[in-house]
Amino acid sequence: MNTDLIFDNTEIAFSLKNDSELERAYFLFKMISIEPLVKIGTAATNFAIKAHLPIEGLIRSTVFDHFCGGVNEADCLNVIEKMHSKGVSSVLDYSVEGKESEKEFDAAKDKILGIIDFAKEIEAIPIAVFKPSGFGRFSLYEKVSREDILTEPENGEWNRVIGRYDEVCKKAKENDVAILIDAEESWMQHAADRLVTEMMQKYNTEKPIVYNTLQMYRHDRMAFLLEEHKKAKEGKYFLGYKLVRGAYMEKENDRAEDKGYVSPICTSKFATDENFNKAVRYMMDHLDDMSLFAGTHNEDSCYLLMNLMAEKGLLNNDPRVWFGQLYGMSDHISFNLANKGYNVAKYVPFGPVKDVMPYLIRRAEENTSVAGQTGRELALLTKEKKRRKTL
Ligand SMILES: Cc1cc2nc3c(=O)[nH]c(=O)nc-3n(C[C@H](O)[C@H](O)[C@H](O)COP(=O)(O)OP(=O)(O)OC[C@H]3O[C@@H](n4cnc5c(N)ncnc54)[C@H](O)[C@@H]3O)c2cc1C
């Protein structure tokens, strides 16, 4: 067993931050840890954006610069290159959300195609990503998920969604760049899952290129994984999965309660953790058929995966296993893993400031509500500040 507690090394964790960046990160997490402040700040920011008040500069120099790489791809290059100098790769995440028109879906698709081309040239970007709702209307996914009959225009619209997935996955295969597809709310996910499985059948014939996402806070996901594995073996294609716990727990539970059905979410954090670990173990036992991208800020989950790799005698940089964190969070995990030679990539969100606000608000709320997360970031930043003072 590999029991080294590598994540405590703050010198490695914050090696890219100068003293003033360290102070800024500390100040930001301190603010985020105050729940009423996040609530008021969110409401005030939403209002200011709607009222066209000039607050972009303020957002940019605070939350935006901490959690995002820039407003466009070129803007992110500095961050990408700096991280790569420490062995951490990037997944450029076009984080514009809530768009609803065909024109915007096509623009998002073109953006991802551009990133895949960019990735082919730049070693620091081995993986691309998109969100299902970036390529089609949420309510259309919902309707397809319910298996309702589509009207003729809706059929045409759904075919265009399929076309966007196909164009992106085809390009990913041609350029040998893995493509991750995020998972969203359970009531639209069934349609996305079916589509991604089709893409895996088509493009994962030689190795995993297309990766779906399994949200292990859903109690049905282990059964789904087993079923998909059976299908892949029969169909002779490889599986790729990003494993996460899941980001929409409150929304899921509230909707289930409102509509009177059993929530798809595990009944406790412990049950989610067990489910996540079970999927990690299963995937590690079947690495000849599948590859794993563990998207997590949970130290125990990372240690579990590291230990399983060691037990199986895998190299730390086995191409079938990746660790992933979000830019601006858990650098102590990303940079210490990279320092030990593991494959690590950080999602680097980018987009115009006002368009990435939903993403930024989720990060602020997550860091307020996930017990311990902000506390841990603050403790590590404090430790590093103290260490530097004693130099
Ligand atoms: C690279 C990357 C990609 C991601 N992609 C996606 C994605 O495509 N889709 C998506 O939904 N999320 C995605 N996430 C977000 C991910 O789901 C969150 O980071 C996650 O919710 C935080 O979990 P954690 O593993 O870091 O660990 P922890 O902080 O240990 O776990 C917190 C999580 O546990 C679960 N949980 C907490 N309390 C309970 C409870 N009472 N009952 C049941 N479960 C509970 C929730 O999922 C909660 O978010 C991604 C994260 C990363 C790092």
Side-chain angles (χ1 to χ4, degrees):
M1 292 279 278
N2 174 359
T3 48
D4 288 356
L5 297 177
I6 63 165
F7 299 142
D8 293 344
N9 188 326
T10 58
E11 183 178 356
I12 291 174
F14 300 115
S15 54
L16 287 182
K17 287 203 187 320
N18 61 32
D19 290 350
S20 67
E21 286 164 340
L22 205 65
E23 283 299 340
R24 191 188 69 186
Y26 182 83
F27 175 74
L28 190 73
F29 279 109
K30 200 84 195 156
M31 293 293 111
I32 286 176
S33 69
I34 306 167
E35 203 168 339
L37 201 67
V38 171
K39 285 213 167 99
I40 296 165
T42 304
T45 310
N46 281 334
F47 169 78
I49 285 175
K50 281 199 188 107
H52 300 288
L53 297 179
I55 57 152
E56 280 201 15
L58 180 66
I59 297 171
R60 236 210 121 150
S61 59
T62 52
V63 270
F64 184 91
D65 277 350
H66 184 86
F67 289 111
C68 298
V71 291
N72 55 41
E73 302 86 325
D75 212 15
C76 297
L77 271 179
N78 185 30
V79 157
I80 292 171
E81 277 163 12
K82 269 166 77 178
M83 291 204 297
H84 197 236
S85 72
K86 302 287 174 191
V88 175
S89 298
S90 295
V91 183
L92 270 174
D93 180 16
Y94 183 53
S95 298
V96 168
E97 297 182 13
K99 302 291 180 192
E100 286 281 302
S101 75
E102 292 292 293
K103 203 170 140 219
E104 287 161 331
F105 298 141
D106 281 334
K109 183 254 305 170
D110 289 340
K111 191 62 121 182
I112 312 301
L113 289 173
I115 291 172
I116 296 171
D117 273 333
F118 202 49
K120 189 185 169 192
E121 307 300 329
I122 300 178
E123 199 193 285
I125 313 175
I127 302 168
V129 66
F130 72 88
K131 235 178 159 49
S133 60
F135 280 10
R137 252 186 330 114
F138 190 92
S139 50
L140 185 64
Y141 278 101
E142 266 189 283
K143 200 163 176 187
V144 177
S145 294
R146 286 195 305 266
E147 300 187 2
D148 286 357
I149 307 282
L150 300 184
T151 62
E152 214 171 294
E154 283 171 341
N155 251 322
E157 198 185 337
W158 185 241
N159 283 333
R160 287 193 292 279
V161 177
I162 299 174
R164 290 182 192 109
Y165 275 63
D166 197 60
E167 212 180 319
V168 162
C169 295
K170 184 164 178 272
K171 175 84 143 199
K173 182 167 175 162
E174 281 165 8
N175 285 10
D176 197 18
V177 172
I179 179 86
L180 307 177
I181 298 154
D182 282 348
E184 300 179 67
E185 289 85 343
S186 60
W187 53 98
M188 62 76 76
Q189 191 59 40
H190 179 56
D193 286 340
R194 276 200 347 219
L195 245 175
V196 183
T197 298
E198 273 176 39
M199 296 299 129
M200 289 202 208
Q201 283 164 347
K202 204 163 165 188
Y203 297 112
N204 287 3
T205 46
E206 283 139 47
K207 66 174 192 180
I209 285 283
V210 179
Y211 285 63
N212 201 356
T213 299
L214 296 177
Q215 297 157 308
M216 298 314 296
Y217 65 6
R218 282 182 59 172
H219 45 70
D220 65 351
R221 291 296 87 174
M222 224 19 245
F224 177 80
L225 172 58
L226 297 182
E227 188 53 37
E228 290 294 301
H229 188 195
K230 197 167 141 237
K231 269 201 286 202
K233 275 181 106 64
E234 283 165 9
K236 297 195 176 19
Y237 58 92
F238 293 90
L239 293 173
Y241 283 115
K242 164 158 64 90
L243 289 185
V244 300
R245 282 181 169 74
Y248 308 91
M249 182 175 75
E250 277 154 36
K251 215 169 163 186
E252 291 279 355
N253 284 334
D254 288 351
R255 184 176 193 267
E257 200 182 317
D258 272 5
K259 295 194 179 276
Y261 61 85
V262 177
S263 170
I265 306 299
C266 293
T267 50
S268 65
K269 171 73 164 67
F270 178 76
T272 293
D273 291 346
E274 289 277 290
N275 211 28
F276 186 94
N277 292 346
K278 217 167 155 182
V280 169
R281 287 200 180 87
Y282 185 85
M283 290 192 69
M284 290 299 287
D285 283 342
H286 297 93
L287 272 189
D288 288 340
D289 301 336
M290 56 186 82
S291 290
L292 157 67
F293 182 104
T296 180
H297 299 142
N298 182 303
E299 292 175 16
D300 291 342
S301 297
C302 294
Y303 283 128
L304 171 70
L305 189 47
M306 289 156 70
N307 287 338
L308 289 172
M309 289 178 79
E311 267 172 36
K312 291 180 188 301
L314 302 182
L315 291 174
N316 286 1
N317 66 350
D318 188 293
R320 296 166 297 181
V321 183
W322 278 81
F323 295 80
Q325 288 79 42
L326 306 178
Y327 182 68
M329 288 168 74
S330 296
D331 282 347
H332 67 301
I333 294 182
S334 314
F335 287 91
N336 280 303
L337 280 171
N339 184 54
K340 295 279 177 199
Y342 292 95
N343 296 317
V344 190
K346 281 181 104 84
Y347 266 35
V348 179
F350 73 96
V353 176
K354 68 173 178 12
D355 290 337
V356 301
M357 276 320 290
Y359 175 87
L360 288 175
I361 289 168
R362 262 211 315 283
R363 291 291 79 81
E365 286 173 352
E366 177 179 293
N367 280 286
T368 304
S369 65
V370 177
Q373 183 118 319
T374 304
R376 192 179 50 185
E377 296 280 1
L378 283 170
L380 289 160
L381 288 162
T382 307
K383 185 176 164 196
E384 178 58 8
K385 284 202 306 178
K386 274 199 192 132
R387 191 195 67 81
R388 289 188 190 183
K389 270 197 190 125
T390 58
L391 290 180

